[in-house]
Amino acid sequence: MNVYDSDRMQAILNAKGFRSEAELRKADVILINTCSIRDKSEQKVLSLLGELKGLKQKDPKKVIAVSGCVGQRMGRTLLQRVPHLDLVLGPDAIDRVGDLIENVVNRGERLVEAKFDEDGRSYSQPCVVNRAKPSEFLTIMKGCDHFCTYCIVPFVRGREKSRSVDEIITDVKNLVSKGTKEVTFLGQNINTYGKGTGQKLSQLIEAANEVEGLERIRYVTSHPRDLGEDLINQFGSISKLCPALHLPFQAGSDRILKAMSRLYTQELYLKKVELLRKACPDIALSTDVIVGFPGETEKDFEETLKVLANVKFSSAFMFKYSPRPGTKAADFGDEVPEIVKEERLARAQQVVYSQIEKENLKYRNTVVSVLVESMDKKKKFFSGRTPHSKLVHVMNVGDASVGKIIDVEITDTNVSCLKGFYVGAPKTNIQFNSFERGIESSFSASLSPTLH
Ligand code: SAH
Ligand code: SF4
């Protein structure tokens, strides 16, 4: 969501005549878009702001701004705490970023804009991004009405509001006309898209499936309680919907799920998994897990391991619990010691990573379909993803180009990716080691970021 918000602000500023500058030192305006989901992400913002103090002292005309969830959470306090900061804006002020920055530049004012829009359930936010990568994110709603006790999102992104199906489909068509082949719809609790407007996510997926030229549809993030039968059954019946779903379970223990206010049990979660696999037997499931929630015992944690072992996820984002100011869980007490959190995280990772390694091995000597997302500068390697969201590095190019969907024969795998050759071109004789060095230096910045 932040990637999408950053792209949006960049487009708005470009339209005002601002140009992007790769070198921080040379920029007249430095805008930091931020995340406050865990304390660590906030600390990073504060330390970056500290590093920028010298630049501002050297050139007082330089404008330094903070947008996003840290801006929303800290508001005026951030402006007071960081004297060299000029502007703080929350997620709902994104569309005004151009005017706000101009005000600071022209009038030298220090500003805070961190109020939520309070209008009804529907909101409009047509896509303003000019470029169209092969795979694009598209935010279709904002906010969240669940108040999971650990989570800061409802406090920094406000209540749920949805864009209309028509507006979103217009965006999809525009992106496709410029070359996009895959869209990932974004929402914090995307299953309840359309709440209060009479529209549903399954309707949007059906409408997107009809868009000519669009090849792949994905959406994120689902909530296990709100993932309805209509959505589950679409995995077997909607041709462009990728066989992949991110379905966070957070914790395996019913006691902890209750304390988290997740509104489902382990049994219900596993039932949804069963229904998904019935609708689409090879669906790739990914998840989020929090270890060390207040009061989590070894026995509770073993329930998390049990779910991991049972479901066999294709990928998992696993986090140590981080208390967030203003959330209910921050007052629960009974904190799990850091060392225990670390040990549990390592054990959970070990289970998941060894499963993924085994799953990836099964791809060896098979042919997968890859949407080419990026190529290295010398056009010797390229990377992309399969419909199941597996990252694939390809070592020969032929007539493949960014945006094409091609068949790739997988010859090697590890825990993080598959590697192979485009079947439409002669195999090249590349050593994996040098290939990987090339990959690291040329792709790291250009590939679609992974979730979160
Ligand atoms: N709306 C999504 C994701 C929200 S944030 C959902 O409901 O799943 C992304 C992930 O960050 C969450 O799934 C959760 O695993 C993690 N997270 C959120 N708050 C956290 C906290 N206080 N400490 C550690 N991890 C957290
Ligand atoms: Fe946070 Fe997701 Fe729960 Fe909403 S549903 S409160 S975004 S974890």
Side-chain angles (χ1 to χ4, degrees):
M1 201 164 270
N2 264 358
V3 170
Y4 183 78
D5 287 349
S6 298
D7 288 349
R8 190 173 180 82
M9 287 191 286
Q10 183 167 3
I12 291 168
L13 289 167
N14 285 154
K16 285 253 179 211
F18 290 88
R19 272 183 301 106
S20 306
E21 169 56 62
E23 252 189 86
L24 198 68
R25 257 182 335 107
K26 291 190 188 156
D28 299 317
V29 178
I30 299 171
L31 172 60
I32 309 167
N33 194 23
T34 62
C35 170
S36 64
I37 198 78
R38 282 168 289 276
D39 184 54
K40 200 168 158 193
S41 40
E42 268 194 34
Q43 293 311 322
K44 280 189 197 166
V45 178
L46 294 173
S47 89
L48 175 58
L49 282 171
E51 286 166 31
L52 295 178
K53 192 175 173 183
L55 281 183
K56 179 83 176 180
Q57 273 168 346
K58 260 198 218 145
D59 178 5
K61 280 218 265 153
K62 210 179 267 295
V63 171
I64 302 181
V66 166
S67 62
C69 294
V70 176
Q72 186 68 38
R73 193 183 84 69
M74 298 182 78
R76 191 158 299 282
T77 318
L78 190 60
L79 210 63
Q80 281 159 355
R81 186 164 157 181
V82 184
H84 56 282
L85 184 60
D86 300 290
L87 171 66
V88 175
L89 63 143
D92 277 9
I94 282 177
D95 285 339
R96 278 169 281 142
V97 67
D99 294 338
L100 290 168
I101 286 183
E102 270 182 351
N103 279 350
V104 176
V105 172
N106 297 339
R107 299 193 213 142
E109 286 172 291
R110 296 181 78 215
L111 294 175
V112 179
E113 192 68 42
K115 277 198 265 357
F116 288 131
D117 301 336
E118 286 309 335
D119 317 327
R121 276 276 166 195
S122 63
Y123 94 111
S124 161
Q125 199 190 49
C127 179
V128 291
V129 178
N130 286 323
R131 51 123 183 86
K133 287 185 290 191
S135 175
E136 283 286 358
F137 293 126
L138 206 50
T139 291
I140 63 164
M141 59 196 292
K142 64 177 175 182
C144 181
D145 289 351
H146 277 298
F147 277 82
C148 302
T149 55
Y150 51 80
C151 184
I152 201 157
V153 169
F155 301 94
V156 289
R157 294 256 174 186
R159 294 297 69 71
E160 210 174 287
K161 291 189 176 98
S162 298
R163 298 173 59 200
S164 70
V165 169
D166 283 352
E167 187 181 281
I168 298 163
I169 293 296
T170 303
D171 279 354
V172 173
K173 285 181 178 161
N174 271 335
L175 287 168
V176 168
S177 72
K178 291 183 205 146
T180 292
K181 295 279 168 56
E182 172 180 295
V183 285
T184 302
F185 294 130
L186 302 176
Q188 289 300 338
N189 181 19
I190 202 154
N191 307 138
T192 52
Y193 161 79
K195 185 154 100 185
T197 71
Q199 302 194 294
K200 285 171 78 174
L201 182 61
S202 50
Q203 265 175 283
L204 173 65
I205 305 294
E206 271 171 31
N209 198 49
E210 298 300 317
V211 175
E212 219 175 298
L214 182 69
E215 304 278 350
R216 294 176 173 185
I217 304 165
R218 304 179 191 274
Y219 58 84
V220 68
T221 295
S222 289
H223 186 289
R225 194 201 60 169
D226 301 326
L227 182 75
E229 245 177 84
D230 56 338
L231 291 169
I232 291 176
N233 291 330
Q234 283 189 331
F235 282 103
S237 58
I238 298 273
S239 58
K240 294 177 185 172
L241 184 61
C242 289
L245 182 73
H246 188 63
L247 192 63
F249 77 94
Q250 312 296 1
S253 147
D254 287 347
R255 198 177 69 83
I256 296 296
L257 285 172
K258 195 159 181 223
M260 287 177 163
S261 196
R262 285 292 286 179
L263 313 173
Y264 54 86
T265 57
Q266 181 189 125
E267 192 188 350
L268 184 85
Y269 183 86
L270 294 176
K271 183 78 199 161
K272 299 265 169 154
V273 169
E274 192 190 313
L275 292 173
L276 282 161
R277 289 195 165 144
K278 207 164 141 206
C280 179
D282 71 336
I283 193 165
L285 296 173
S286 54
T287 200
D288 290 349
V289 170
I290 297 176
V291 301
F293 186 77
E296 184 189 70
T297 62
E298 172 62 22
K299 205 159 152 265
D300 291 319
F301 174 64
E302 279 167 12
E303 292 296 310
T304 295
L305 291 181
K306 202 171 105 188
V307 175
L308 291 175
N310 185 323
V311 179
K312 296 195 173 55
F313 292 98
S314 293
S315 81
F317 299 91
M318 291 176 282
F319 313 102
K320 291 182 284 180
Y321 168 71
S322 163
R324 306 306 296 125
T327 60
K328 273 196 182 163
D331 297 328
F332 282 176
D334 214 1
E335 276 266 337
V336 173
E338 187 62 21
I339 188 163
V340 177
K341 285 186 193 168
E342 261 160 32
E343 181 245 358
R344 287 183 187 163
L345 183 66
R347 282 160 69 197
Q349 284 170 337
Q350 204 183 9
V351 172
V352 172
Y353 295 162
S354 74
Q355 282 169 350
I356 298 174
E357 209 165 356
K358 272 193 211 140
E359 181 191 66
N360 287 357
L361 264 177
K362 289 194 194 142
Y363 280 97
R364 286 199 188 176
N365 304 317
T366 67
V367 173
V368 294
S369 161
V370 173
L371 169 60
V372 180
E373 289 189 44
S374 64
M375 285 206 177
D376 80 313
K377 282 189 202 109
K378 291 184 188 154
K379 295 207 160 61
K380 279 191 171 165
F381 329 113
F382 59 89
S383 293
R385 282 182 197 273
T386 68
H388 294 85
S389 288
K390 290 283 171 191
L391 175 62
V392 183
H393 295 312
V394 186
M395 288 162 288
N396 58 339
V397 173
D399 63 352
S401 56
V402 170
K404 255 194 169 183
I405 295 182
I406 49 145
D407 285 340
V408 175
E409 184 191 339
I410 301 303
T411 52
D412 196 12
T413 59
N414 62 29
V415 66
S416 55
C417 66
L418 317 177
K419 299 169 205 170
F421 295 94
Y422 168 34
V423 298
K427 286 185 185 176
T428 39
N429 201 5
I430 286 175
Q431 294 291 314
F432 274 119
N433 288 348
S434 68
F435 168 68
E436 252 157 19
R437 273 198 300 277
I439 281 287
E440 267 163 34
S441 58
S442 36
F443 288 123
S444 48
S446 57
L447 254 190
S448 284
T450 40
L451 304 167
H452 311 310

